[in-house]
Amino acid sequence: MSNLDKNPVQSPAAAVTHPLVKGTVEPGCAKVDPIVIADHVTRQFGGLKAVDVDHLEIPRGQITALIGPNGAGKTTMFNLLTGFDKPNTGTWEFDGKSLAGVPAFKVARSGMVRTFQLTKSLGRLSVLQNMLLGATGQRGEGLFSSLVKPLWRRQEEENTVRADELLARFKLDAKREDYAASLSGGQRKLLEMARALMSKPELIMLDEPMAGVNPALTQSLLGHIKNLKADGTSVLFVEHDMHMVMHISDWVIVMAEGRVVAEGPPETVMKDPAVIDAYLGAHHDTDLGDLMDDGPNPVEVALEAERKAHDAHSEEK
Amino acid sequence: MIAGIRIGPGVRFITMALLALALCLGVVLGSGALSASASAPAPTPTPTSDFTNTLTIGGVLRDDDNVVEGAEVTVEGAGGFSEVATSDDTGRWSVVVPEKGEYTVTIDPETLPDGVELRDPDRVSATVAANEWQTNSITRSFPLGVDDRQTTGFFEQFLQRLAAGLNFGLLIALAAIGITLIFGTTGLNNFAHGEMVTFGAIIAWIVAVLLGVNIFVAMLVALVLGGAFGYVQDWLLWKPLRKKGVKLVQAMIVSIGLAIALRYLYLFFIDGSTKTMNVGLSEAIVIGPVRITTGSVVSMVISVVALVAVGLFLTRTRVGKATRAVSDNPSLAAASGIDVDRIIRTVWVLAGALAALAGVMLGLYRQVSWDMGFQVLLLMFAAVTLGGLGSAYGALVGSIVVGLFVELSTLIIPADLKYAAALVVLILVLLVRPQGILGRKERIG
Amino acid sequence: MDWGNIFGNAIGEIISPTTAAYALAAIGLGVHFGYTGLLNFGQAAFLLIGAYAFAIPTLAGAPIIVAVLSAIICSVIFAFILGIPTLRLRADYLAIVTIASAEVVRYVVTTTGLTDFTGAANGLSGFKGTFAAINPIPEGRYGFGPFMYNEYDWWVRIVGWTLVVLASVLVFLLMRSPWGRVVKGIREDEDAVRSLGKNVYSYKMQSLVIGGVMGSVAGIIFILPRAVQPANYTTGLTFFIWTIMLLGGAATIFGPIVGAMIFWVVLSLTQGILYGAIESGALGFMTTTQAGQVRFILVGVALMLLVIFRPQGIFGNKKELSFSV
Ligand SMILES: Nc1ncnc2c1ncn2[C@@H]1O[C@H](COP(=O)(O)OP(=O)(O)O)[C@@H](O)[C@H]1O
Ligand SMILES: [Mg+2]
């Protein structure tokens, strides 16, 4: 689209390099150590091309933010990568293994675990049971071995210890025995994230983890995400909160209208005209100088407005 | 979805609703009850017939869809017991027997009408064993068949079935559009829809046959009362449930309960016999190789007119457009100032009226009985599922497919498996296209 | 009115084989719907398959163990046939497809083309010999009060209720285990469970098979005191099993058992009272046939009221209501 065409011409950042990147920094650039590589992934809904990504690589061991206005195709991209939806075209690999056409549960088992934008806590299971469900390789989950408790008691105890640790870290330990249905929206987001961590994933994909989470908690959540990176887990997250994006991400990928329109380290990507285009529409008259002023960043203003609209929408559901 | 989350008053209406519904039906049907039971002293075909006090052996003689009247069946048992039963105008015969013993049941092939024969000429008798008497009534059937299958060519048969299938498909469509509109606007799978069909047929039977009024007037009465029935259901039951925030599966099971209650209420008042809509629309019209009755022609014309009217209503009128908006996205529709509850009420009225109309014509096409709607309910579901739940055009396409399939399948497989064939098609289509022919996929995440 | 007789009959229903069969079928349905969230509206088909797959080999001279295995294997195969296309579908589609499949099998066993195997509309009888032959109880009448039965009737009751207890224990063991956690998770939100690396499709299939086999065994118990009649396996049967399951509480161990007992005791009581009232002339406008129908009207109304006002059933936990969607 027009954004893409004019980007290399207008942007002085075109020739920039970055330690994470092989070659120059540009939309769809190759990474030094990618964990996910996707090629020609498209997904059409009727006449609408929700996702149309030519090439995308996600760096290993880093925190990558996927941003873009509502309807940009971020959630759809998540669905495609994790096997929850089938693309019209495209291939992708995770950790060197092709995942195209692999069912969702196998994707998760291979170490790529996602959370959902609209929380999917299991309401009539207790918080602890929710957590235990996240653990992998459980012997007690086999039909016949489940009948003989000695076969799985030890493992269950170990998983419970781990679940309790995570619950404590996410400040959900007081709710351990409550039904998940009784949690607040923000607590459910936390539970979902903690549950995903039970499986010790290599890559965790969080779809709007902060939406609806109490601001007092977001700080500690940021800490958790950073810890994940320290433990060697790669993180890919969708977020509308620019402070968070700026604060913790090592890399930012921007989607608009199904395409990757820009990527780069957070400091520079915010100033990319393609990003401003994406959020404010192609025919605005902000010039680049405004972005350097101390005034509010127009991207952030736009994002903030969107996030509010979005939250209002989520509450309806 | 719309069968929403808020708690409101009006729940107490539900009990009232049931009472009112029962009363309302009682008044309507009460008039018919007496004359009906006078004309047909048949044994009841309650599914679990464990509960009657007398011991009977009986059955229904049918040649495909036609009842066989006047055939004699002899039941003989220990101690020289022997009694002859003659099948009545609904094809039923039954013999009251003295004890739970062994019996031999023999049909006299001589007494069968001309052109009707036993399918298996050697099978003139059947036995009843003593240990079968776990229920108080035992059924024995004698499969009948006409030998005219070879006399008409395959192509004529095909055209004949095609016409019948089209007719049946249009009838299903008429009833099924209501199902799909209700599903689209409220998310409810209405299992009581078959009873709305039966309702229309019974009303028309009362008005046209018992009261002897012109069939078209009867049709109009059924249409109006059917609409009213839809209105009352939504007013007293479904709207309060929506306000209470009853979940969709829960509501679906409520509709199953309602269906059971209504069905047996019908049975209570009009008994288990089938009633013929003998209103002078049965003479045959011959168009080339196809023979159809005037009744079928009338029913096809009316179905098409009604379907076109519904189509225009949905696409051209403000209420119709609002209905589609509510189907697309209820909360968005509500936000843009559409009175969702009023639209849903309209949909129920429309669905009730269309179902009743379909019932009248189904009564003309076949017969009227207490469970006729339930018998076609699954075909209606098959139709809307095939078409994609919630899509009105899908329902039309799916209905025609089902109707044609039911009738055309009899060219190849035994007629008593024709409904099974349609249901198998439903399952096969869903294998290939889980969202139905015209349906949309749901979004995840 | 003979109250003694009315109550005697009603009390007798508590341990009747029919009650045991319905309880077992409802336990199976509880595995499907209560624990896994599968909207199976075709449970009648499993009873049908159990009945025919037991009766046909028996009539052909097979020993009882073969007949029972045949019933179990056939229901497993049917569960697979049913599950492969439907378990990927949305819940409400599943409901329609299962109800349709149940009708298909009923049409098939009723078709006159198969009279030699299934007896068509007449059904089958005379298959009780092998079961009676392994009865250890000596001939005679035993019991007290309303519970006076001959040796065969006791044998059916003992076997039937033993199976009910075994099924309940099995369900208890399964549902306290991580396996049970997975299927309960599926009931709540299958996408979430999928995202945690569980093969949802396989678990649903396992659940369908387990509940289906229970239905099939229930089908055998159901026919041991009577004949096989295809008219018994209409959707009406499925709906009664649903009523029983919801009455007791869908996701409970004792719910289906107590639900079945209450259901049959109440049906028997209403029948006794209505018939008594008609005989004494108090209900002159009603015939006994109509009285039979009134009870089904009541079943329908009870189902509605139950689902609206007490969706968790008698034993269900108020917080763990039986409806998540
Ligand atoms: N199942 C679906 N059917 C039709 N359109 C869809 C579906 N899922 C997503 N879309 C459309 O695809 C586009 C991208 O949606 P989404 O991926 O949810 O965006 P984001 O997560 O970036 O806000 C939107 O226009 C949305 O309406
Ligand atoms: Mg999204």
Side-chain angles (χ1 to χ4, degrees), chain A residues 84 105 108-109 120 122-125 129 132-133 135 138 140-141 143 146 149 152 156 179 195, chain C residues 174 177 179 181-182 187-189 191-192 194-195 197-199 203 210 317 320-322 324:
Chain A
F84 278 86
F105 78 94
R109 278 187 197 169
K120 294 188 182 295
L122 309 168
R124 289 179 292 161
L125 295 185
Q129 296 286 319
L132 290 173
L133 199 54
Q138 296 189 47
E141 286 179 357
L143 179 57
S146 72
K149 195 169 181 183
W152 46 267
E156 184 87 348
Y179 280 116
R195 192 176 64 194
Chain C
L174 281 174
S177 77
W179 188 92
R181 189 161 59 217
V182 176
R187 171 188 72 193
E188 300 301 306
D189 190 322
D191 279 334
R194 206 170 269 134
S195 78
K198 321 289 177 198
N199 187 349
Y203 280 99
I210 293 171
N317 181 337
E320 194 176 352
L321 293 181
S322 46
S324 62

Tab-separated table of all heavy atoms in Angstrom, chain A residues 84 105 108-109 120 122-125 129 132-133 135 138 140-141 143 146 149 152 156 179 195, chain C residues 174 177 179 181-182 187-189 191-192 194-195 197-199 203 210 317 320-322 324:
chain	number	residue	atom	x	y	z
A	84	PHE	N	-4.880	-21.786	15.604
A	84	PHE	CA	-6.295	-21.639	15.920
A	84	PHE	C	-7.108	-21.226	14.705
A	84	PHE	O	-8.328	-21.204	14.729
A	84	PHE	CB	-6.500	-20.622	17.052
A	84	PHE	CG	-6.291	-21.236	18.396
A	84	PHE	CD1	-5.024	-21.312	18.951
A	84	PHE	CD2	-7.354	-21.775	19.091
A	84	PHE	CE1	-4.824	-21.901	20.180
A	84	PHE	CE2	-7.166	-22.366	20.318
A	84	PHE	CZ	-5.894	-22.436	20.869
A	105	PHE	N	-3.107	-27.650	19.552
A	105	PHE	CA	-2.566	-28.233	20.781
A	105	PHE	C	-1.118	-28.676	20.593
A	105	PHE	O	-0.313	-28.617	21.510
A	105	PHE	CB	-3.462	-29.375	21.264
A	105	PHE	CG	-3.308	-30.668	20.527
A	105	PHE	CD1	-2.442	-31.646	20.994
A	105	PHE	CD2	-4.034	-30.921	19.368
A	105	PHE	CE1	-2.300	-32.839	20.328
A	105	PHE	CE2	-3.911	-32.115	18.703
A	105	PHE	CZ	-3.031	-33.073	19.182
A	108	ALA	N	1.104	-25.666	20.879
A	108	ALA	CA	1.332	-25.338	22.281
A	108	ALA	C	2.367	-26.289	22.893
A	108	ALA	O	3.248	-25.874	23.636
A	108	ALA	CB	0.021	-25.409	23.057
A	109	ARG	N	2.253	-27.572	22.556
A	109	ARG	CA	3.192	-28.537	23.122
A	109	ARG	C	4.613	-28.299	22.653
A	109	ARG	O	5.568	-28.635	23.348
A	109	ARG	CB	2.796	-29.956	22.721
A	109	ARG	CG	1.717	-30.495	23.591
A	109	ARG	CD	1.497	-31.941	23.243
A	109	ARG	NE	0.213	-32.377	23.757
A	109	ARG	CZ	-0.331	-33.527	23.432
A	109	ARG	NH1	0.288	-34.349	22.593
A	109	ARG	NH2	-1.484	-33.867	23.941
A	120	LYS	N	-10.079	-16.279	28.583
A	120	LYS	CA	-10.688	-17.600	28.583
A	120	LYS	C	-10.304	-18.313	29.868
A	120	LYS	O	-9.628	-19.324	29.842
A	120	LYS	CB	-10.214	-18.395	27.376
A	120	LYS	CG	-10.691	-17.816	26.044
A	120	LYS	CD	-10.352	-18.734	24.909
A	120	LYS	CE	-10.774	-18.168	23.571
A	120	LYS	NZ	-12.230	-18.035	23.438
A	122	LEU	N	-11.289	-20.610	32.988
A	122	LEU	CA	-12.233	-21.710	33.053
A	122	LEU	C	-13.053	-21.528	34.315
A	122	LEU	O	-12.674	-21.964	35.400
A	122	LEU	CB	-11.458	-23.026	33.033
A	122	LEU	CG	-10.462	-23.055	31.859
A	122	LEU	CD1	-9.492	-24.199	31.968
A	122	LEU	CD2	-11.190	-23.100	30.533
A	123	GLY	N	-14.185	-20.849	34.155
A	123	GLY	CA	-14.948	-20.298	35.274
A	123	GLY	C	-15.291	-21.264	36.378
A	123	GLY	O	-15.204	-20.927	37.558
A	124	ARG	N	-15.702	-22.485	36.029
A	124	ARG	CA	-16.154	-23.399	37.071
A	124	ARG	C	-15.071	-24.382	37.500
A	124	ARG	O	-15.351	-25.463	37.977
A	124	ARG	CB	-17.416	-24.121	36.613
A	124	ARG	CG	-18.619	-23.192	36.568
A	124	ARG	CD	-19.833	-23.898	36.093
A	124	ARG	NE	-19.729	-24.267	34.695
A	124	ARG	CZ	-20.484	-25.192	34.118
A	124	ARG	NH1	-21.353	-25.841	34.828
A	124	ARG	NH2	-20.339	-25.463	32.843
A	125	LEU	N	-13.819	-23.977	37.268
A	125	LEU	CA	-12.709	-24.681	37.905
A	125	LEU	C	-12.094	-23.687	38.878
A	125	LEU	O	-12.127	-22.479	38.649
A	125	LEU	CB	-11.657	-25.105	36.881
A	125	LEU	CG	-12.059	-26.133	35.822
A	125	LEU	CD1	-10.863	-26.520	34.986
A	125	LEU	CD2	-12.660	-27.355	36.474
A	129	GLN	N	-6.942	-25.254	40.047
A	129	GLN	CA	-7.183	-26.231	38.977
A	129	GLN	C	-6.855	-25.628	37.616
A	129	GLN	O	-6.322	-26.308	36.742
A	129	GLN	CB	-8.641	-26.695	39.002
A	129	GLN	CG	-9.037	-27.447	40.247
A	129	GLN	CD	-8.465	-28.857	40.254
A	129	GLN	OE1	-8.457	-29.538	39.249
A	129	GLN	NE2	-7.945	-29.280	41.398
A	132	LEU	N	-3.152	-25.883	37.317
A	132	LEU	CA	-2.650	-27.244	37.126
A	132	LEU	C	-2.907	-27.736	35.708
A	132	LEU	O	-2.149	-28.528	35.158
A	132	LEU	CB	-3.299	-28.186	38.136
A	132	LEU	CG	-2.837	-27.954	39.571
A	132	LEU	CD1	-3.649	-28.797	40.544
A	132	LEU	CD2	-1.352	-28.272	39.709
A	133	LEU	N	-3.982	-27.234	35.126
A	133	LEU	CA	-4.295	-27.623	33.754
A	133	LEU	C	-3.185	-27.190	32.802
A	133	LEU	O	-2.977	-27.801	31.760
A	133	LEU	CB	-5.622	-26.967	33.356
A	133	LEU	CG	-6.379	-27.532	32.174
A	133	LEU	CD1	-6.629	-29.013	32.343
A	133	LEU	CD2	-7.694	-26.792	32.029
A	135	ALA	N	-0.002	-27.353	33.265
A	135	ALA	CA	1.211	-28.170	33.296
A	135	ALA	C	1.192	-29.196	32.176
A	135	ALA	O	0.144	-29.727	31.830
A	135	ALA	CB	1.321	-28.870	34.653
A	138	GLN	N	1.435	-34.507	31.881
A	138	GLN	CA	0.880	-35.090	33.103
A	138	GLN	C	0.456	-36.530	32.861
A	138	GLN	O	-0.348	-36.809	31.972
A	138	GLN	CB	-0.327	-34.277	33.562
A	138	GLN	CG	0.026	-32.857	33.947
A	138	GLN	CD	-1.150	-32.153	34.603
A	138	GLN	OE1	-1.790	-32.688	35.489
A	138	GLN	NE2	-1.428	-30.938	34.153
A	140	GLY	N	-1.420	-38.255	34.810
A	140	GLY	CA	-2.814	-38.416	35.212
A	140	GLY	C	-3.807	-37.973	34.164
A	140	GLY	O	-5.011	-38.131	34.332
A	141	GLU	N	-3.312	-37.428	33.070
A	141	GLU	CA	-4.236	-37.011	32.021
A	141	GLU	C	-4.536	-38.127	31.041
A	141	GLU	O	-5.342	-37.976	30.139
A	141	GLU	CB	-3.690	-35.771	31.293
A	141	GLU	CG	-3.822	-34.519	32.149
A	141	GLU	CD	-3.285	-33.267	31.489
A	141	GLU	OE1	-2.749	-33.375	30.363
A	141	GLU	OE2	-3.405	-32.194	32.087
A	143	LEU	N	-6.240	-41.613	30.054
A	143	LEU	CA	-7.519	-42.171	30.507
A	143	LEU	C	-7.326	-43.280	31.540
A	143	LEU	O	-7.969	-43.292	32.583
A	143	LEU	CB	-8.299	-42.699	29.301
A	143	LEU	CG	-9.646	-43.345	29.603
A	143	LEU	CD1	-10.553	-42.379	30.343
A	143	LEU	CD2	-10.320	-43.786	28.319
A	146	SER	N	-5.240	-42.319	34.799
A	146	SER	CA	-5.940	-41.391	35.690
A	146	SER	C	-6.669	-42.149	36.799
A	146	SER	O	-6.935	-41.604	37.863
A	146	SER	CB	-6.938	-40.556	34.901
A	146	SER	OG	-8.038	-41.357	34.512
A	149	LYS	N	-4.441	-43.434	41.298
A	149	LYS	CA	-3.877	-42.205	41.828
A	149	LYS	C	-2.377	-42.284	42.113
A	149	LYS	O	-1.654	-41.324	41.842
A	149	LYS	CB	-4.633	-41.775	43.088
A	149	LYS	CG	-4.337	-40.338	43.478
A	149	LYS	CD	-5.276	-39.824	44.541
A	149	LYS	CE	-4.940	-38.383	44.874
A	149	LYS	NZ	-5.778	-37.869	45.948
A	152	TRP	N	0.032	-40.790	39.603
A	152	TRP	CA	0.189	-39.369	39.295
A	152	TRP	C	0.250	-38.468	40.523
A	152	TRP	O	0.377	-37.257	40.398
A	152	TRP	CB	-0.901	-38.879	38.339
A	152	TRP	CG	-2.317	-39.295	38.673
A	152	TRP	CD1	-2.961	-40.405	38.200
A	152	TRP	CD2	-3.248	-38.626	39.522
A	152	TRP	NE1	-4.239	-40.464	38.700
A	152	TRP	CE2	-4.446	-39.396	39.514
A	152	TRP	CE3	-3.213	-37.466	40.295
A	152	TRP	CZ2	-5.576	-39.026	40.242
A	152	TRP	CZ3	-4.334	-37.091	41.017
A	152	TRP	CH2	-5.495	-37.883	40.984
A	156	GLU	N	1.530	-34.539	40.575
A	156	GLU	CA	0.510	-33.541	40.907
A	156	GLU	C	1.021	-32.629	42.030
A	156	GLU	O	0.830	-31.418	41.987
A	156	GLU	CB	-0.765	-34.274	41.342
A	156	GLU	CG	-1.945	-33.369	41.636
A	156	GLU	CD	-2.760	-33.040	40.397
A	156	GLU	OE1	-2.288	-33.315	39.276
A	156	GLU	OE2	-3.861	-32.494	40.560
A	179	TYR	N	-13.525	-20.251	42.649
A	179	TYR	CA	-13.802	-20.483	41.241
A	179	TYR	C	-13.234	-19.329	40.430
A	179	TYR	O	-13.330	-18.168	40.831
A	179	TYR	CB	-15.307	-20.540	40.996
A	179	TYR	CG	-15.914	-21.859	41.351
A	179	TYR	CD1	-16.848	-21.968	42.375
A	179	TYR	CD2	-15.571	-23.005	40.644
A	179	TYR	CE1	-17.408	-23.193	42.705
A	179	TYR	CE2	-16.127	-24.230	40.954
A	179	TYR	CZ	-17.045	-24.317	41.987
A	179	TYR	OH	-17.594	-25.529	42.300
A	195	ARG	N	-1.174	-19.269	34.012
A	195	ARG	CA	-1.494	-20.619	33.567
A	195	ARG	C	-0.640	-20.998	32.359
A	195	ARG	O	-0.128	-22.114	32.262
A	195	ARG	CB	-2.975	-20.663	33.207
A	195	ARG	CG	-3.555	-22.022	32.983
A	195	ARG	CD	-5.040	-21.902	32.736
A	195	ARG	NE	-5.310	-21.163	31.520
A	195	ARG	CZ	-6.497	-20.669	31.181
A	195	ARG	NH1	-7.536	-20.821	31.989
A	195	ARG	NH2	-6.671	-20.018	30.067
C	174	LEU	N	-12.468	-40.906	37.730
C	174	LEU	CA	-12.055	-40.114	36.572
C	174	LEU	C	-12.077	-38.631	36.882
C	174	LEU	O	-11.155	-37.888	36.535
C	174	LEU	CB	-12.989	-40.382	35.389
C	174	LEU	CG	-12.767	-41.662	34.594
C	174	LEU	CD1	-13.873	-41.822	33.558
C	174	LEU	CD2	-11.411	-41.613	33.899
C	177	SER	N	-9.362	-36.848	38.906
C	177	SER	CA	-8.004	-36.970	38.374
C	177	SER	C	-7.705	-35.828	37.398
C	177	SER	O	-8.591	-35.074	37.018
C	177	SER	CB	-7.875	-38.292	37.618
C	177	SER	OG	-8.497	-38.174	36.363
C	179	TRP	N	-7.249	-36.131	34.358
C	179	TRP	CA	-8.079	-36.377	33.183
C	179	TRP	C	-9.405	-35.631	33.311
C	179	TRP	O	-9.852	-34.945	32.387
C	179	TRP	CB	-8.345	-37.880	33.038
C	179	TRP	CG	-9.030	-38.266	31.760
C	179	TRP	CD1	-8.431	-38.627	30.601
C	179	TRP	CD2	-10.447	-38.330	31.520
C	179	TRP	NE1	-9.383	-38.909	29.643
C	179	TRP	CE2	-10.632	-38.729	30.183
C	179	TRP	CE3	-11.576	-38.071	32.299
C	179	TRP	CZ2	-11.881	-38.894	29.606
C	179	TRP	CZ3	-12.833	-38.233	31.732
C	179	TRP	CH2	-12.978	-38.641	30.400
C	181	ARG	N	-9.941	-33.076	35.091
C	181	ARG	CA	-9.690	-31.638	35.018
C	181	ARG	C	-9.683	-31.171	33.568
C	181	ARG	O	-10.215	-30.125	33.243
C	181	ARG	CB	-8.354	-31.354	35.690
C	181	ARG	CG	-8.056	-29.920	35.887
C	181	ARG	CD	-6.990	-29.753	36.929
C	181	ARG	NE	-5.755	-30.432	36.569
C	181	ARG	CZ	-4.952	-31.063	37.439
C	181	ARG	NH1	-5.266	-31.092	38.716
C	181	ARG	NH2	-3.855	-31.648	37.026
C	182	VAL	N	-9.086	-31.981	32.718
C	182	VAL	CA	-9.036	-31.580	31.308
C	182	VAL	C	-10.444	-31.526	30.722
C	182	VAL	O	-10.810	-30.549	30.070
C	182	VAL	CB	-8.148	-32.542	30.485
C	182	VAL	CG1	-8.188	-32.165	29.020
C	182	VAL	CG2	-6.726	-32.515	30.993
C	187	ARG	N	-15.251	-28.314	28.980
C	187	ARG	CA	-16.620	-27.848	29.193
C	187	ARG	C	-16.645	-26.323	29.313
C	187	ARG	O	-17.519	-25.657	28.769
C	187	ARG	CB	-17.159	-28.482	30.480
C	187	ARG	CG	-18.487	-27.931	30.948
C	187	ARG	CD	-18.838	-28.466	32.313
C	187	ARG	NE	-17.997	-27.861	33.355
C	187	ARG	CZ	-17.911	-28.310	34.600
C	187	ARG	NH1	-18.587	-29.371	34.961
C	187	ARG	NH2	-17.142	-27.718	35.486
C	188	GLU	N	-15.660	-25.770	29.985
C	188	GLU	CA	-15.654	-24.329	30.206
C	188	GLU	C	-15.251	-23.574	28.941
C	188	GLU	O	-15.886	-22.599	28.574
C	188	GLU	CB	-14.693	-23.971	31.335
C	188	GLU	CG	-15.015	-24.609	32.654
C	188	GLU	CD	-16.390	-24.237	33.145
C	188	GLU	OE1	-16.666	-23.033	33.237
C	188	GLU	OE2	-17.190	-25.153	33.411
C	189	ASP	N	-14.175	-23.979	28.317
C	189	ASP	CA	-13.722	-23.276	27.121
C	189	ASP	C	-12.685	-24.127	26.403
C	189	ASP	O	-11.540	-24.227	26.836
C	189	ASP	CB	-13.110	-21.924	27.492
C	189	ASP	CG	-12.871	-21.075	26.251
C	189	ASP	OD1	-12.475	-21.647	25.212
C	189	ASP	OD2	-13.088	-19.862	26.326
C	191	ASP	N	-11.152	-23.800	23.619
C	191	ASP	CA	-9.997	-23.138	23.006
C	191	ASP	C	-8.897	-22.896	24.029
C	191	ASP	O	-7.713	-23.025	23.733
C	191	ASP	CB	-10.420	-21.811	22.361
C	191	ASP	CG	-11.035	-22.041	20.989
C	191	ASP	OD1	-10.693	-23.059	20.356
C	191	ASP	OD2	-11.854	-21.219	20.566
C	192	ALA	N	-9.318	-22.538	25.236
C	192	ALA	CA	-8.325	-22.319	26.281
C	192	ALA	C	-7.550	-23.609	26.545
C	192	ALA	O	-6.327	-23.599	26.674
C	192	ALA	CB	-9.009	-21.842	27.561
C	194	ARG	N	-7.140	-26.101	24.554
C	194	ARG	CA	-6.314	-26.368	23.382
C	194	ARG	C	-5.024	-25.555	23.467
C	194	ARG	O	-3.936	-26.051	23.169
C	194	ARG	CB	-7.109	-25.958	22.153
C	194	ARG	CG	-6.736	-26.662	20.901
C	194	ARG	CD	-7.738	-26.362	19.809
C	194	ARG	NE	-8.814	-27.324	19.763
C	194	ARG	CZ	-10.094	-27.023	19.658
C	194	ARG	NH1	-10.466	-25.751	19.610
C	194	ARG	NH2	-10.993	-27.957	19.602
C	195	SER	N	-5.158	-24.314	23.886
C	195	SER	CA	-3.980	-23.448	23.945
C	195	SER	C	-2.993	-23.930	24.999
C	195	SER	O	-1.858	-23.482	25.037
C	195	SER	CB	-4.388	-22.001	24.223
C	195	SER	OG	-4.683	-21.841	25.596
C	197	GLY	N	-2.147	-27.046	25.182
C	197	GLY	CA	-1.473	-28.229	24.653
C	197	GLY	C	-2.222	-29.534	24.840
C	197	GLY	O	-1.619	-30.595	24.747
C	198	LYS	N	-3.529	-29.475	25.133
C	198	LYS	CA	-4.284	-30.724	25.279
C	198	LYS	C	-5.015	-31.020	23.974
C	198	LYS	O	-5.588	-30.120	23.363
C	198	LYS	CB	-5.319	-30.623	26.410
C	198	LYS	CG	-4.869	-29.878	27.637
C	198	LYS	CD	-3.835	-30.628	28.435
C	198	LYS	CE	-3.387	-29.760	29.608
C	198	LYS	NZ	-2.121	-30.188	30.181
C	199	ASN	N	-5.022	-32.292	23.636
C	199	ASN	CA	-5.722	-32.706	22.426
C	199	ASN	C	-7.223	-32.794	22.722
C	199	ASN	O	-7.753	-33.839	23.078
C	199	ASN	CB	-5.185	-34.048	21.952
C	199	ASN	CG	-5.766	-34.442	20.617
C	199	ASN	OD1	-6.711	-33.821	20.142
C	199	ASN	ND2	-5.199	-35.457	20.011
C	203	TYR	N	-9.927	-35.958	23.845
C	203	TYR	CA	-10.610	-36.047	25.130
C	203	TYR	C	-12.111	-36.103	24.950
C	203	TYR	O	-12.816	-36.842	25.631
C	203	TYR	CB	-10.241	-34.868	26.030
C	203	TYR	CG	-8.907	-35.061	26.714
C	203	TYR	CD1	-7.762	-34.473	26.215
C	203	TYR	CD2	-8.803	-35.838	27.852
C	203	TYR	CE1	-6.538	-34.654	26.829
C	203	TYR	CE2	-7.585	-36.030	28.480
C	203	TYR	CZ	-6.453	-35.436	27.964
C	203	TYR	OH	-5.255	-35.627	28.578
C	210	ILE	N	-16.965	-43.172	26.712
C	210	ILE	CA	-17.264	-43.645	28.071
C	210	ILE	C	-18.755	-43.496	28.378
C	210	ILE	O	-19.421	-44.451	28.787
C	210	ILE	CB	-16.423	-42.864	29.102
C	210	ILE	CG1	-14.949	-43.213	28.911
C	210	ILE	CG2	-16.871	-43.176	30.517
C	210	ILE	CD1	-14.017	-42.349	29.713
C	317	ASN	N	-23.815	-27.833	43.071
C	317	ASN	CA	-23.333	-26.689	43.806
C	317	ASN	C	-23.872	-25.431	43.135
C	317	ASN	O	-23.804	-25.289	41.923
C	317	ASN	CB	-21.806	-26.722	43.740
C	317	ASN	CG	-21.187	-25.591	44.497
C	317	ASN	OD1	-21.820	-24.555	44.720
C	317	ASN	ND2	-19.954	-25.790	44.895
C	320	GLU	N	-21.421	-23.842	41.044
C	320	GLU	CA	-21.028	-24.617	39.878
C	320	GLU	C	-22.283	-24.989	39.097
C	320	GLU	O	-22.618	-26.139	38.929
C	320	GLU	CB	-20.265	-25.876	40.304
C	320	GLU	CG	-19.555	-26.534	39.145
C	320	GLU	CD	-18.716	-27.732	39.574
C	320	GLU	OE1	-18.573	-27.961	40.772
C	320	GLU	OE2	-18.228	-28.431	38.675
C	321	LEU	N	-22.999	-23.982	38.622
C	321	LEU	CA	-24.220	-24.217	37.865
C	321	LEU	C	-23.891	-25.084	36.663
C	321	LEU	O	-22.768	-25.144	36.197
C	321	LEU	CB	-24.799	-22.885	37.388
C	321	LEU	CG	-25.324	-21.977	38.486
C	321	LEU	CD1	-25.879	-20.715	37.884
C	321	LEU	CD2	-26.382	-22.675	39.299
C	322	SER	N	-24.925	-25.733	36.151
C	322	SER	CA	-24.618	-26.684	35.086
C	322	SER	C	-24.613	-26.051	33.700
C	322	SER	O	-24.516	-26.741	32.719
C	322	SER	CB	-25.595	-27.833	35.137
C	322	SER	OG	-26.893	-27.342	35.281
C	324	SER	N	-22.764	-23.296	31.248
C	324	SER	CA	-21.754	-22.255	31.071
C	324	SER	C	-22.029	-21.448	29.828
C	324	SER	O	-21.456	-20.391	29.626
C	324	SER	CB	-20.359	-22.878	30.991
C	324	SER	OG	-20.260	-23.727	29.879
